[in-house]
Amino acid sequence: MEETHLTSRGRAAIAATLILISIAIWISVAHVASGSDQPPEATSSPSPTAPADATPPRLEVERPARPVVAGKRVTIRGTAKGATKVFADGRRVRLKGAHFAATFASAPTKPIEIVARDAAGNESDAKLRLTLHHLPKTMHAVHVSAYGWSSKTLRRPLFEMIHKKQINTIEIDLKDESGVIGYDSHLPLAKKIHADRGIYDIKEVIDRLHRLNVRVIGRLVAFRDPVLANAAWKRGHHDWVIQTPNGGAYADYGGFTNFAHPAVRRYNIDIAEEAAKAGIDDVLYDYVRRPDGPIKTMVFKGLKETPEKSIAGFVAETEKRLRRYGTRLGASVFGIAATRPKEIAQDIPHMSKAADYISPMLYPSHWARGEYNVGYPNAHPYEIVARSLKDFLKAVKGTGAEVIPWIQDFSLGIHYGPREVRAQLDAARRRGIHSWILWDPSVTYTRAALPH
């Protein structure tokens, strides 16, 4: 029995020795094949969740449907199936399932590099070069109403002016003095009060003008709004409307809404944001003020500060909403506002802190005799514009806001032709101002006054 036992142990030892020799040979061969100069235990092994022969993520990047304006916010979207991380120009972006969206505050001029990576480190990459429109920094603009744009007869001369480089900016009504929203709005309140008319397609207008490298400004008449005022009054929202001391609706201009009410402010800011989402370059407020006239004849329900501070605060609220879109904000103001801020509640230094530019309406026909020591301003367009602009430049000093004046291109009391329009432009240039907006309610502009 003892002899048999020893023989079994010997056989087991021999078998164990052979196994160890085989393992050593296998490790040595694997190490040589890998070409590594590290010990075998330092070599990497495939992730148990992703085998070494796994395919990289499937990356697809969507090209924006429309060319992007240089310097404006842009979002790049796409899918990365199988990826756990996505990077845009080295910055990680959020993944929602297989979908991602990378937002840039300013549209990159260089190709955007998108990288998708899975759990095992496998990568796919793609490069996207954006098609950019470069808009003018100096604005030579004309105003056009919603109905004016819809008329081929009125629209044709505007394009001729664009092609001859007489203008490089179109300012079109978003919401006009009647309270009508001219573009195809989808805001619930606008539809509820029947303010939206869909006279023009806002994206079609913006795309068409951007293809010509033309800036598009949306004019938004804020608090003069007969449609909203009348609808609110009928529905019992009397505090949405400026009132008289006896509790009636303040009826000047057909209806003037209460700038102090949150719903009124929100409605106008929502319109501004909707236009910004559509790609508008600037939003320019008009009637961003109280009605002219004795303030003792007006009641502003809910007002907890001065009218001037409330309106400047409204401009600041709008700027915060538009900032993410890279949309510029302007405010049209009375010529007297530079020196008499309480007369219609337009405090220029305060408003300028939030606005990108202030657009004073310096129409010579609207000044009273003797203003700025000009006996009859309507007959002296150069003098009245040059003198009033001096005060506006002082008012915005230190705020970073520009002064971009409205120029009268219509006749009221005196016939205005090329000489009168040119005189106002010359006055602006004298003050170092090279941007301007022409106003003619009939949308027929004096082309002979402009450079050819």
Side-chain angles (χ1 to χ4, degrees):
M1 291 292 295
E2 186 175 0
E3 183 178 350
T4 305
H5 176 67
L6 290 172
T7 303
S8 297
R9 291 183 61 185
R11 290 175 180 174
I14 293 170
T17 302
L18 290 173
I19 290 171
L20 289 172
I21 293 171
S22 298
I23 291 173
I25 294 171
W26 179 85
I27 290 174
S28 177
V29 171
H31 181 49
V32 172
S34 69
S36 172
D37 58 358
Q38 298 296 323
E41 60 269 22
T43 59
S44 61
S45 61
S47 168
T49 59
D53 61 348
T55 58
R58 183 177 176 183
L59 176 62
E60 294 183 3
V61 181
E62 300 174 13
R63 175 172 291 279
R66 304 191 306 274
V68 179
V69 175
K72 289 195 71 173
R73 179 177 181 265
V74 64
T75 298
I76 305 303
R77 304 180 189 277
T79 58
K81 295 179 181 179
T84 57
K85 295 178 182 179
V86 173
F87 301 86
D89 280 353
R91 175 172 55 89
R92 187 173 177 180
V93 298
R94 186 179 178 183
L95 260 176
K96 190 173 183 180
H99 298 271
F100 67 86
T103 299
F104 296 84
S106 179
T109 56
K110 296 181 180 179
I112 301 169
E113 185 174 11
I114 308 293
V115 176
R117 183 182 300 157
D118 65 16
N122 298 301
E123 292 185 351
S124 296
D125 62 76
K127 287 189 177 182
L128 175 66
R129 181 181 289 276
L130 298 174
T131 302
L132 299 178
H133 288 314
H134 296 272
L135 301 184
K137 294 182 179 180
T138 300
M139 288 170 27
H140 296 163
V142 296
H143 164 76
V144 58
S145 63
Y147 285 108
W149 182 265
S150 68
S151 166
K152 290 183 180 180
T153 301
L154 295 177
R155 197 171 61 231
R156 188 179 300 112
L158 303 181
F159 281 98
E160 291 175 0
M161 296 168 75
I162 289 170
H163 291 309
K164 290 188 176 181
K165 302 189 182 304
Q166 292 181 297
I167 61 172
N168 58 24
T169 304
I170 293 290
E171 193 243 28
I172 190 168
D173 281 342
L174 298 174
K175 176 161 70 81
D176 64 18
E177 297 88 338
S178 69
V180 166
I181 296 176
Y183 68 93
D184 48 332
S185 174
H186 298 286
L187 297 176
L189 181 55
K191 292 190 173 298
K192 184 176 181 180
I193 64 176
H194 306 293
D196 64 313
R197 303 297 165 83
I199 301 166
Y200 65 88
D201 182 323
I202 190 169
K203 289 185 179 180
E204 188 277 331
V205 170
I206 293 169
D207 288 348
R208 183 174 183 181
L209 292 172
H210 278 177
R211 284 195 293 271
L212 299 172
N213 290 325
V214 171
R215 177 176 290 277
V216 187
I217 304 173
R219 175 175 175 257
L220 205 173
V221 176
F223 302 122
R224 176 181 174 179
D225 192 332
V227 173
L228 180 61
N230 293 327
W233 194 266
K234 288 178 181 178
R235 288 169 169 77
H237 302 306
H238 293 181
D239 52 350
W240 291 26
V241 181
I242 294 176
Q243 299 177 30
T244 61
N246 64 8
Y250 192 86
D252 275 15
Y253 298 101
F256 221 103
T257 55
N258 180 11
F259 54 81
H261 198 283
V264 173
R265 295 162 83 102
R266 185 165 55 249
Y267 176 58
N268 285 285
I269 296 174
D270 284 348
I271 294 170
E273 185 174 29
E274 187 174 49
K277 287 180 179 178
I280 207 87
D281 301 304
D282 300 21
V283 170
L284 176 56
Y285 275 133
D286 204 347
Y287 286 86
V288 57
R289 60 179 179 86
R290 73 168 177 86
D292 42 314
I295 195 168
K296 64 182 180 181
T297 65
M298 308 167 198
V299 175
F300 315 102
K301 293 286 185 178
L303 182 64
K304 298 178 181 179
E305 55 193 343
T306 66
E308 297 78 46
K309 286 185 178 180
S310 180
I311 287 170
F314 166 74
V315 174
E317 286 176 38
T318 307
E319 189 275 333
K320 288 180 182 178
R321 287 274 289 275
L322 297 185
R323 186 186 303 161
R324 60 180 299 199
Y325 304 100
T327 305
R328 298 204 310 168
L329 178 63
S332 299
V333 297
F334 268 22
I336 59 172
T339 55
R340 284 169 269 176
K342 293 186 177 182
E343 195 151 326
I344 53 168
Q346 289 182 329
D347 185 321
I348 303 306
H350 200 172
M351 295 172 76
S352 299
K353 292 177 181 178
D356 292 287
Y357 55 93
I358 297 294
S359 292
M361 297 174 285
L362 304 178
Y363 313 136
S365 62
H366 285 37
W367 290 95
R369 290 177 181 268
E371 291 275 6
Y372 285 102
N373 295 319
V374 179
Y376 187 22
N378 204 11
H380 298 279
Y382 180 91
E383 288 79 6
I384 192 65
V385 170
R387 295 178 190 184
S388 58
L389 277 177
K390 186 176 180 180
D391 277 340
F392 274 100
L393 289 171
K394 286 181 183 178
V396 304
K397 190 174 182 180
T399 66
E402 290 182 76
V403 174
I404 301 178
W406 283 97
I407 300 297
Q408 179 174 334
D409 193 5
F410 59 89
S411 298
L412 183 62
I414 291 178
H415 174 73
Y416 264 49
R419 186 175 68 86
E420 290 76 15
V421 174
R422 195 178 298 117
Q424 297 171 78
L425 298 175
D426 289 344
R429 279 193 290 270
R430 176 187 174 183
R431 296 299 180 200
I433 297 171
H434 301 282
S435 292
W436 40 260
I437 310 171
L438 298 186
W439 174 270
D440 181 359
S442 66
V443 196
T444 54
Y445 290 97
T446 308
R447 296 169 60 180
L450 305 177
H452 290 77

